[in-house]
Amino acid sequence: MKLVSTRNANESVEFSQAILAPSASKGGLYSPLSLPNFDGYKFKDLSYKDFALKLIQSFEFKLDKLFERALQSYEKFDEKSCEKHLKFSGKSCPIRLFKVNDKLYINELYHGPTRAFKDMALQPFASLVSELAKDKNMLIICATSGDTGPATLKAFESTLNSRVVCLYPAFGTSSFQALQMTSLKAKNLKSLAIKGDFDAAQRALKDLLSDSNFKESLNLAKIELTAANSVNFGRILFQIIYHYYALVQIDKEADIIVPSGNFGDALGAYYAKKMGAKIRRIKIASNSNNILTDFFTKGEYDLRNRVLQKTISPAMDILISSNVERLIFDKFGDKRTFELYEKLKNENYFKLTKNELNELKKDFEAEFCTDRECKKFIKDFSKIALIDPHTATCFKFKNDKTSIITSTAEWVKFVPSMFEALFDKPCVDEKNAMLEITRAYKNDLKSELLALFDEGQVEGKIYEVAELKNTILQWIKGDNK
């Protein structure tokens, strides 16, 4: 199977090319023209890794050996985590499917090295990129609202042929997420805090990917450029798997509830449904930056006079959700996608037709959750388990249908907000607050997470977006250490 541009379906590339050079023509994203049918239910007894390989093979990318090696990266996860609450016959598994009751499950995707769901895609993605580019020198750039950065840096840590630059909003992540990025000491990693929000970081990433002068400077240094964000289809591929696998394990139709910012996780659920997973509806939970709620309820994508709000679920503090484009392409084709995104670029706004909105509503619902509501959900659910502020937004949905909540991060990454929600008082010292929560709720805590607070932040400078190109090139040349 080849991948095509969302804005020009006549442009097709091999999967390996889309991974290493993810910028498609006319500003589009590489996506499947159609999705394969996959009967995952006949593979219910397979381990997660073996199931993943079967699903990937249905795309016929003809890179089975590379994918097989890439999936070995799940050995770095807490593989016995899923044996509690819902036993998978003792099978090795990087996820934990927590059965709350007969109607509600929580799919915990944060048992990887950086305690966030981004590890589920980025650990095998890094292995794949390293294999595909083993005779090349690569520069991998990512933009993060909190979790992609640590996961990308950790995945590529100390790889021989890869340098990684992470762009993040200086005051737009949790302090713990910032520590995860800045405390890594491998020489091939660089974190740059920028002036602006995540949308500015993501825009800077896309500009660098399409900057011919920047790429020419890299070519002179014999370095090729790619991205680790979910603009890269390699990320999305691995995000289909955990949704489908969870549905197979409970073996009944269910709603998938996803806390969504950049829409990659939700897109993975949509693709899983189209491939054969018994997903009834995909429910999009947002925070007060509720642009996705407006999109799925009104059919409008409206950036006019909209200001990004900082919330206690910072990984969802996003207004430009890149992967919505892949959904529009799959539903309405490349010409309509190009038309809508040209309108968004020129007018900061587009509106779907009534028929198009009804088509979306066949698969999607959307709600948003305020910080106050989020804290209440954290407190109320703490009688059962601790959930982070992003997972908590999913509890805004109330119904009697079987549902799987996608839990995207461990609570330890958001201690100040958790402490305030649980104890109704401000957090004065984050490390002590983490310990207090752990004692009060008899929760396990990994020693390396506490150790982060003793590392201190390495990089203190905040960069203007205009500085990024030269800063990155100087770092590559060794002039900026």
Side-chain angles (χ1 to χ4, degrees):
M1 178 186 290
K2 291 188 176 183
L3 301 174
V4 301
S5 170
T6 52
R7 303 187 195 182
N8 178 16
N10 291 324
E11 177 196 0
S12 64
V13 297
E14 298 290 344
F15 174 81
S16 56
Q17 183 180 340
I19 292 294
L20 298 180
S23 295
S25 67
K26 298 183 179 181
L29 304 174
Y30 286 121
S31 298
L33 189 59
S34 61
L35 289 155
N37 293 319
F38 176 67
D39 184 5
Y41 293 85
K42 69 181 181 183
F43 301 119
K44 181 176 181 176
D45 294 330
L46 294 185
S47 70
Y48 185 91
K49 286 180 282 188
D50 290 342
F51 179 92
L53 187 59
K54 290 288 186 185
L55 185 147
I56 292 168
Q57 285 172 339
S58 71
F59 282 85
E60 297 183 348
F61 290 134
K62 299 177 181 177
L63 296 167
D64 292 359
K65 293 296 182 184
L66 294 189
F67 281 114
E68 199 169 347
R69 286 195 288 272
L71 292 167
Q72 295 303 315
S73 62
Y74 289 136
E75 294 174 2
K76 301 174 186 175
F77 287 57
D78 300 337
E79 289 200 323
K80 293 184 179 179
S81 60
C82 65
E83 292 180 5
K84 296 180 181 178
H85 298 278
L86 187 68
K87 292 181 180 287
F88 293 174
S89 305
K91 292 177 290 192
S92 172
C93 186
I95 70 171
R96 176 191 177 202
L97 193 55
F98 170 21
K99 184 177 181 180
V100 180
N101 55 49
D102 287 341
K103 293 288 186 182
L104 181 63
Y105 301 81
I106 297 180
N107 193 5
E108 295 179 359
L109 303 177
Y110 53 74
H111 294 283
T114 70
R115 317 311 291 175
F117 81 108
K118 299 296 177 72
D119 292 323
M120 292 294 300
L122 280 161
Q123 283 291 320
F125 175 79
S127 172
L128 199 60
V129 169
S130 296
E131 288 280 355
L132 289 171
K134 61 184 176 182
D135 297 323
K136 303 175 181 179
N137 291 312
M138 300 296 301
L139 172 63
I140 298 104
I141 304 181
C142 74
T144 188
S145 55
D147 287 327
T148 294
T152 302
L153 294 166
K154 191 67 179 176
F156 285 96
E157 186 178 28
S158 301
T159 51
L160 296 177
N161 63 337
S162 300
R163 295 175 176 86
V164 182
V165 172
C166 176
L167 312 177
Y168 69 98
F171 304 104
T173 71
S174 76
S175 57
F176 189 86
Q177 289 168 320
L179 275 173
Q180 284 186 302
M181 289 183 279
T182 59
S183 62
L184 290 170
K185 296 178 174 61
K187 292 181 179 180
N188 68 318
L189 308 178
K190 183 73 170 175
S191 299
L192 300 175
I194 70 160
K195 186 177 180 180
D197 54 28
F198 170 74
D199 290 326
Q202 184 165 245
R203 192 161 47 246
L205 165 66
K206 291 179 178 178
D207 288 345
L208 288 169
L209 289 174
S210 60
D211 187 323
S212 57
N213 291 330
F214 181 61
K215 288 192 281 190
E216 180 59 30
S217 296
L218 293 174
N219 287 339
L220 290 174
K222 297 182 179 179
I223 295 172
E224 297 189 23
L225 177 65
T226 191
N229 280 69
S230 56
V231 296
N232 196 313
F233 183 77
R235 280 272 309 277
I236 300 298
L237 179 63
F238 293 108
Q239 291 182 271
I240 300 169
I241 300 162
Y242 49 71
H243 292 299
Y244 205 138
Y245 191 72
L247 264 295
V248 166
Q249 295 306 314
I250 68 169
D251 200 13
K252 51 187 172 181
E253 186 181 57
D255 292 334
I256 298 287
I257 309 176
V258 186
S260 194
N262 216 22
F263 201 69
D265 205 357
L267 182 73
Y270 172 70
Y271 282 170
K273 179 179 180 179
K274 288 201 70 175
M275 292 175 70
K278 296 175 185 176
I279 298 172
R280 193 182 73 91
R281 297 177 77 73
I282 300 153
K283 298 185 174 182
I284 307 300
S286 298
N287 59 24
S288 295
N289 294 293
N290 58 329
I291 195 158
L292 289 176
T293 312
D294 286 349
F295 178 66
F296 285 105
T297 57
K298 302 176 186 177
E300 297 179 345
Y301 209 101
D302 193 355
L303 298 171
R304 299 171 299 182
N305 303 315
R306 204 156 194 151
V307 178
L308 191 77
Q309 298 182 46
K310 291 184 179 180
T311 73
I312 64 171
S313 49
M316 296 157 63
D317 290 350
I318 295 171
L319 293 180
I320 303 173
S321 301
S322 289
N323 282 291
V324 168
E325 177 166 345
R326 285 188 167 112
L327 172 64
I328 291 173
F329 168 73
D330 189 80
K331 288 285 193 183
F332 312 124
D334 59 335
K335 289 181 175 60
R336 182 61 169 154
T337 304
F338 179 74
E339 177 186 345
L340 291 173
Y341 275 87
E342 280 296 291
K343 192 172 178 64
L344 187 65
K345 182 176 73 173
N346 296 326
E347 301 176 26
N348 279 334
Y349 173 83
F350 69 70
K351 184 176 178 65
L352 301 178
T353 66
K354 184 178 179 180
N355 287 339
E356 287 171 339
L357 177 57
N358 288 336
E359 181 63 29
L360 289 186
K361 287 184 175 181
K362 291 178 182 178
D363 297 302
F364 293 94
E365 293 178 29
E367 267 284 7
F368 76 96
C369 183
T370 66
D371 280 356
R372 177 178 291 185
E373 290 172 314
C374 186
K375 289 176 183 177
K376 185 178 186 304
F377 293 141
I378 290 170
K379 177 67 174 177
D380 291 347
F381 199 74
S382 67
K383 298 167 188 173
I384 299 172
L386 293 179
I387 53 172
D388 83 292
H390 303 78
T391 305
T393 63
C394 296
F395 284 82
K396 187 66 180 282
F397 288 100
K398 293 179 173 31
N399 59 46
D400 60 354
K401 305 289 186 183
T402 301
S403 300
I404 300 176
I405 286 175
T406 305
S407 186
T408 54
E410 191 170 18
W411 67 268
V412 295
K413 304 188 80 166
F414 310 97
V415 168
S417 301
M418 294 293 298
F419 189 83
E420 189 173 329
L422 295 169
F423 300 115
D424 196 26
K425 59 183 180 181
C427 171
V428 177
D429 181 283
E430 191 165 343
K431 183 177 181 180
N432 286 334
M434 185 182 287
L435 289 169
E436 188 171 343
I437 293 171
T438 302
R439 286 192 295 266
Y441 290 89
K442 297 180 174 58
N443 209 265
D444 294 332
L445 185 64
K446 290 185 172 292
S447 58
E448 60 264 31
L449 300 179
L450 276 175
L452 271 178
F453 291 102
D454 301 323
E455 293 285 345
Q457 293 197 15
V458 177
E459 178 73 72
K461 182 176 177 180
I462 298 173
Y463 293 84
E464 298 284 348
V465 169
E467 297 179 83
L468 293 175
K469 187 197 307 189
N470 286 336
T471 299
I472 294 168
L473 292 174
Q474 287 175 3
W475 173 62
I476 286 171
K477 292 175 184 176
D479 296 332
N480 186 14
K481 298 180 181 179

